Amino acid sequence: EWSAERARVETEGWGAQLLAFEDEDGQWAGGAHFPHDYVWDGPEEGQPWTSTSHSLTQLRSFGLHPASVAAQRAVQLIGENCRWDYAGEPEWEGEVEPCINGMTVANGAYFGVDVSAIVDRLLGERLNDGGWNCEAERGSVRSSYDTTINVLEGFLEYELATGGTAETREARRSAEGFLLERQLFLRLSTGEPADDDYLLFRNPQRWQYDVLRGLDYFRRAAAFEGTRPDPRLATAIDHVLSKRNKDGTWLLDKNPIGRTWFDVDDGPDKPSRWVTLRALRVLEWVGAA
């Protein structure tokens, strides 16, 4: 049943809508991570989400089959035509920020691209506390929740597609330890939330971290490895339970600001099918549904 439903993503609904915005050269909005007409330091509010990397991430979340005609066409044309905003690097070779490279590994691995060179780069950029931070090139020695979750999702997708290597498995477990030691959202030094924003549920998640995104990652990793939920997830699970509405739904707390092709929710402070789906499958996994 779900295979038949998944096949419809290419031709119906949100998946088909997003594919319809694809440029003739395989890109979206004429750019890799930012639209071709984006003005740096201009008046536009927020970061635009219409470019190629964000569109591919959303198609992956919709479940577009990687072997579909539309997916394979896009992957080939992106490889031929898409260049990163930073220094014109080819899309499937990655760029400099580990957050963006983690997203690229996830997309590339899912859609059948060899992204092993980007994986090797990320392996060499891991910080001593087990995770990653885009600010490392500017001197940061502490991992970031936002960057780390993007790389973790990329490595997991890479392992699902290729089996991974001993090095990727070790790096992924080390980064998981960084999150688990902090119960997915706390500061080690104070036991307080590292950022109150992490307690807000958003969709689409883009590059930003929240507790539910962290839990959903661990759910998927456990399904892949056949392991049980770690006890250190309990505080995060309690937070998810505390936000359930009386009708069994969860609200969309926040939408990342910036231009989009279309919305898939009814707006902040209203029930979200996407947030509710993620919350329910996490709670079912830990036996708290």
Side-chain angles (χ1 to χ4, degrees):
E1 290 178 4
W2 71 260
S3 293
E5 191 72 14
R6 183 190 197 187
R8 298 170 60 193
V9 174
E10 184 179 12
T11 58
E12 300 177 38
W14 290 322
Q17 287 183 55
L18 189 50
L19 286 167
F21 289 111
E22 183 184 2
D23 302 332
E24 286 297 319
D25 65 0
Q27 299 186 93
W28 275 263
H33 205 65
F34 290 87
H36 72 94
D37 61 351
Y38 180 68
V39 179
W40 294 91
D41 299 322
E44 185 169 354
E45 185 178 9
Q47 177 181 344
W49 310 107
T50 53
S51 63
T52 304
S53 61
H54 298 298
S55 296
L56 282 176
T57 299
Q58 197 154 20
L59 286 169
R60 175 165 56 88
S61 75
F62 289 159
L64 178 66
H65 200 297
S68 64
V69 173
Q72 287 303 301
R73 175 186 179 277
V75 163
Q76 180 179 343
L77 289 174
I78 287 167
E80 295 170 358
N81 300 310
C82 193
R83 298 293 182 269
W84 288 107
D85 320 81
Y86 177 73
E89 311 96 319
E91 168 88 12
W92 299 125
E93 293 181 16
E95 55 120 87
V96 294
E97 289 199 9
C99 182
I100 295 174
N101 281 339
M103 183 188 305
T104 306
V105 167
N107 289 335
Y110 178 85
F111 287 112
V113 179
D114 180 6
V115 287
S116 54
I118 313 177
V119 169
D120 288 342
R121 174 174 182 144
L122 288 167
L123 286 170
E125 293 174 339
R126 187 162 42 126
L127 299 177
N128 290 336
D129 59 6
W132 289 265
N133 193 330
C134 286
E135 297 298 319
E137 63 177 325
R138 287 174 278 278
S140 178
V141 295
R142 281 186 217 164
S143 294
S144 150
Y145 280 86
D146 299 294
T147 305
T148 298
I149 194 63
N150 280 280
V151 178
L152 273 173
E153 290 172 349
F155 275 22
L156 179 58
E157 205 69 61
Y158 182 73
E159 288 184 39
L160 285 164
T162 69
T165 65
E167 290 78 14
T168 62
R169 287 187 288 274
E170 190 276 328
R172 191 164 61 81
R173 292 192 180 103
S174 175
E176 289 174 353
F178 166 80
L179 295 178
L180 288 168
E181 189 177 16
R182 293 159 177 80
Q183 298 180 61
L184 270 60
F185 67 98
L186 301 178
R187 289 188 188 278
L188 282 183
S189 56
T190 65
E192 297 296 318
D195 189 329
D196 289 338
D197 214 40
Y198 295 159
L199 299 173
L200 303 178
F201 300 159
R202 68 203 75 215
N203 184 68
Q205 292 159 324
R206 309 302 186 187
W207 54 262
Q208 292 120 325
Y209 180 85
D210 65 49
V211 167
L212 188 52
R213 182 175 185 175
L215 284 167
D216 208 22
Y217 163 81
F218 279 100
R219 175 199 62 82
R220 195 158 182 247
F224 172 56
E225 298 183 314
T227 56
R228 295 181 61 80
D230 190 288
R232 290 171 288 182
L233 300 174
T235 304
I237 292 292
D238 286 345
H239 178 66
V240 174
L241 285 166
S242 74
K243 291 175 68 67
R244 181 164 52 184
N245 298 319
K246 291 181 179 179
D247 64 359
T249 65
W250 278 258
L251 302 181
L252 176 70
D253 290 322
K254 192 171 184 179
N255 241 350
I257 298 173
R259 74 171 107 149
T260 61
W261 292 115
F262 51 82
D263 291 325
V264 296
D265 276 306
D266 295 328
D269 301 322
K270 295 182 180 178
S272 164
R273 284 174 285 181
W274 288 88
V275 174
T276 298
L277 168 66
R278 285 195 287 267
L280 285 174
R281 67 189 182 191
V282 163
L283 294 179
E284 182 177 22
W285 168 54
V286 300

